[in-house]
Amino acid sequence: MTANVVAQVFDTILSTPGMNELVKIDLKISRKDVLLLNAIIEKGLSDKGDDKTGILANVPADDLQKLKSLADEALQKAGLVELSQRLSELDGTK
């Protein structure tokens, strides 16, 4: 499938009824996994500007901001905000 078709399918899935309903997820993951998840989310969101044909190309900016907030909240709850910032500085991404 072409990237355009994949983006259209993804957009269709996001538009289906019930996708905006809130769900409660009881999630217990290691701090290592919180750091990795945050890094993956940040990498994916930072690549959005470079990838005009990917699946995130048609996602509204406020939905992407909610995802970033979720990643930040996970770091906050795990007590890893400062560590994440220092790792980003070492990596040169911030």
Side-chain angles (χ1 to χ4, degrees), residues 23 58 72 81:
V23 294
N58 296 326
D72 291 343
V81 174

Side-chain angles (χ1 to χ4, degrees), residues 6-83:
V6 172
Q8 287 177 335
V9 170
F10 189 70
D11 188 46
T12 301
I13 291 169
L14 292 179
S15 300
T16 58
M19 290 301 285
N20 286 326
E21 292 178 7
L22 298 179
V23 294
K24 181 176 174 123
I25 300 174
D26 184 15
L27 183 65
K28 295 184 188 283
I29 62 175
S30 69
R31 285 187 168 91
K32 175 183 79 170
D33 291 340
V34 171
L35 274 175
L36 291 172
L37 179 62
N38 185 64
I40 290 168
I41 290 172
E42 285 188 358
K43 171 86 171 111
L45 293 177
S46 69
D47 287 349
K48 179 185 182 281
D50 301 335
D51 187 10
K52 302 295 184 200
T53 60
I55 61 174
L56 294 180
N58 296 326
V59 177
D62 61 324
D63 288 343
L64 296 177
Q65 183 57 42
K66 287 178 190 174
L67 185 59
K68 174 71 173 113
S69 296
L70 176 70
D72 291 343
E73 182 180 345
L75 277 181
Q76 182 74 29
K77 286 183 177 181
L80 298 170
V81 174
E82 186 176 347
L83 177 60

Side-chain angles (χ1 to χ4, degrees), residues 35 80-94:
L35 274 175
L80 298 170
V81 174
E82 186 176 347
L83 177 60
S84 177
Q85 289 171 345
R86 289 181 184 221
L87 289 172
S88 294
E89 290 170 4
L90 286 174
D91 189 31
T93 58
K94 283 191 175 178

